[in-house]
Amino acid sequence: VDPDGKKFEKVSRLACTGDIYEMDLILDVHCGLFKCKPGDKFNFALASTIDPSGANEEQTYDQRERKTLMDGYDYVMHGRVFQIDEDKKTHDIIIYASFGGLMMSLKGNPKNLTRFEPDMNIYAMCKRAQAAEAF
């Protein structure tokens, strides 16, 4: 949490390494809404839609009460992929996204990051891990 020191009062930067997919995640979160301490584990998912059927989202948020993928998470942000790079040394892909100014970078094996494109709308979803599960 905040590896380079605290920059903003209500924002924490989480630096994480995946247990399952061997990815590196740096994610800014509103620390009043999603509090983390060093060593905490959470499940993390990226999705292009919150519709459980996978249907594309409309351009505006549908406020009707309905089941969504968000129901299974503690913290959700909507944003946009603004850059995709390749690490020349490791050939890993790095996805950069912004969620209203809260930033994310996700670095990992290209075969696990094939569905992302620049200017793509995405949802970042976090859920505190139970004892046996983790990012």
Side-chain angles (χ1 to χ4, degrees):
V1 178
D2 296 315
D4 298 325
K6 191 101 170 128
K7 305 267 192 238
F8 299 100
E9 180 182 342
K10 295 184 179 184
V11 176
S12 285
R13 178 157 286 175
L14 308 179
C16 312
T17 300
D19 288 343
I20 298 171
Y21 288 105
E22 295 183 19
M23 292 189 186
D24 294 321
L25 171 70
I26 298 174
L27 182 67
D28 293 345
V29 297
H30 186 295
C31 57
L33 300 175
F34 192 72
K35 294 179 181 164
C36 287
K37 303 182 305 287
D40 282 356
K41 294 189 176 205
F42 62 93
N43 294 309
F44 178 77
L46 289 174
S48 60
T49 178
I50 55 170
D51 190 302
S53 72
N56 286 336
E57 297 289 317
E58 298 293 327
Q59 292 297 324
T60 57
Y61 178 68
D62 180 356
Q63 296 183 24
R64 292 177 291 157
E65 287 197 32
R66 60 187 172 115
K67 294 278 186 200
T68 69
L69 295 178
M70 295 189 301
D71 296 336
Y73 291 87
D74 300 320
Y75 183 75
V76 178
M77 298 185 291
H78 177 261
R80 183 178 298 267
V81 173
F82 67 86
Q83 186 174 338
I84 299 175
D85 286 339
E86 179 183 351
D87 184 315
K88 301 295 183 205
K89 293 179 186 175
T90 64
H91 301 289
D92 283 343
I93 295 294
I94 308 168
I95 308 287
Y96 296 97
S98 176
F99 302 92
L102 298 176
M103 308 305 285
M104 178 202 80
S105 73
L106 180 63
K107 179 180 178 180
N109 189 311
K111 70 179 179 181
N112 297 324
L113 298 171
T114 58
R115 297 182 183 181
F116 298 96
E117 300 173 4
D119 295 324
M120 178 180 183
N121 287 318
I122 59 171
Y123 294 88
M125 301 180 282
C126 303
K127 180 176 178 62
R128 296 187 195 303
Q130 303 304 321
E133 38 182 319
F135 167 75

